[in-house]
């Protein structure tokens, strides 16, 4: 068990042990992988196609760009301001990890069961209301579909463990790259649906869901173990 904790990149991050030996590339890959899995832009593609049905290519491209920009702004604001919001409400970082881990794991189970949209609050009534909106780039696409509670809580907790500008810049780069991928996937959503189909998207989403569950459990245990240490 000690060897596992010592060599696990995930544990090194969530337990605030961002030592100087942690390579920038490893940090980037972890943050990129975690964010991409939790945000799951692929799961948003069918919903985006449904909401933009009958619209022009120009409208689809514009909406994809605005949604991606909104996601980037929301995540960056959460990364820098989130810890002050927690302090204002008297919420500890460990409590955020426990709650965030549960939310992330819940999203993973929803992916496994093929209920991603329902987990993000996109039932039939909300979809109908979204169809009646002129602009859907902020809600429901940016919030809560991609920049949801899981990704926001993940970035807030990671910010607490950073000690250098290099780590902060690496995080911002990872967020930026994920948002670019979100833009590309949304812009190419109709093509993706034609190629993969509903079954293909669901299959990939279920695989991602398993990874998200593991990430959520790791995240949950990181906060819970700190609580146990304070009690013991």
């Amino acid at each position: 068990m000690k060897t596992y904790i010592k060599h696990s990149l995930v544990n090194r991050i969530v337990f605030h042990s961002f030592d100087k030996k942690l390579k920038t590339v490893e940090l980037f890959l972890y943050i990129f992988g975690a964010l991409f899995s939790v945000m799951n832009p692929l799961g948003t593609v069918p919903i985006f196609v449904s909401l933009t049905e009958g619209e022009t290519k120009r409208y689809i491209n514009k909406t994809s760009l605005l949604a991606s920009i909104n996601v980037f702004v929301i995540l960056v604001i959460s990364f820098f301001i989130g810890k002050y919001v927690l302090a204002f409400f008297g919420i500890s970082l460990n409590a955020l990890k426990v709650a965030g881990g549960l939310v992330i794991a819940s999203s993973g189970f929803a992916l496994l069961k093929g209920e991603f949209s329902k987990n993000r609050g996109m039932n039939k009534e909300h979809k109908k209301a979204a169809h009646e909106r002129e602009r859907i780039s902020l809600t429901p696409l940016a919030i809560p579909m991609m920049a949801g509670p899981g990704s926001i809580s993940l970035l807030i907790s990671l910010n607490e463990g950073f000690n250098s500008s290099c780590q902060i810049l690496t995080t911002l780069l990872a967020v930026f790259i994920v948002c670019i991928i979100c833009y590309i996937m949304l812009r190419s959503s109709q093509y993706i649906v034609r190629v993969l189909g509903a079954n293909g998207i669901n299959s990939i989403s279920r695989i991602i869901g398993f990874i998200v569950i593991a990430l959520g459990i790791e995240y949950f245990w990181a906060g819970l173990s700190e609580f146990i240490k304070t009690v013991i």
Side-chain angles (χ1 to χ4, degrees), residues 5-140:
I5 295 178
K6 179 179 179 181
H7 294 286
S8 171
L9 176 60
V10 175
N11 276 308
R12 278 190 287 169
I13 291 177
V14 296
F15 280 106
H16 303 276
S17 56
F18 291 96
D19 53 27
K20 295 180 180 180
K21 295 181 181 180
L22 184 61
K23 297 179 180 179
T24 303
V25 175
E26 291 178 335
L27 179 61
F28 171 82
L29 291 176
Y30 169 76
I31 298 174
F32 172 82
L35 272 179
F36 184 83
S37 299
V38 174
M39 291 169 63
N40 187 28
L42 183 62
T44 307
V45 165
I47 299 171
F48 181 75
V49 171
S50 174
L51 294 178
T52 57
E53 185 178 2
E55 299 291 348
T56 63
K57 186 67 176 178
R58 181 179 179 182
Y59 174 84
I60 293 175
N61 294 343
K62 181 180 178 181
T63 303
S64 301
L65 178 61
L66 291 177
S68 302
I69 292 175
N70 287 332
V71 170
F72 180 77
V73 172
I74 292 168
L75 293 181
V76 170
I77 291 176
S78 301
F79 179 69
F80 287 108
I81 308 298
K83 61 182 179 181
Y84 300 109
V85 176
L86 293 181
F88 178 80
F89 288 102
I91 301 173
S92 68
L93 179 61
N94 291 326
L96 177 69
K97 287 181 179 180
V98 171
L102 292 174
V103 171
I104 293 173
S106 174
S107 298
F109 280 113
L111 286 172
L112 280 179
K113 295 188 295 183
E115 299 176 350
F116 175 74
S117 60
K118 186 183 296 185
N119 179 262
R120 296 297 171 91
M122 284 296 292
N123 53 31
K124 292 183 178 179
E125 293 181 357
H126 290 147
K127 286 182 180 179
K128 182 178 179 181
H131 273 291
E132 297 173 353
R133 295 172 59 92
E134 293 184 2
R135 297 182 179 180
I136 58 174
S137 57
L138 180 59
T139 56

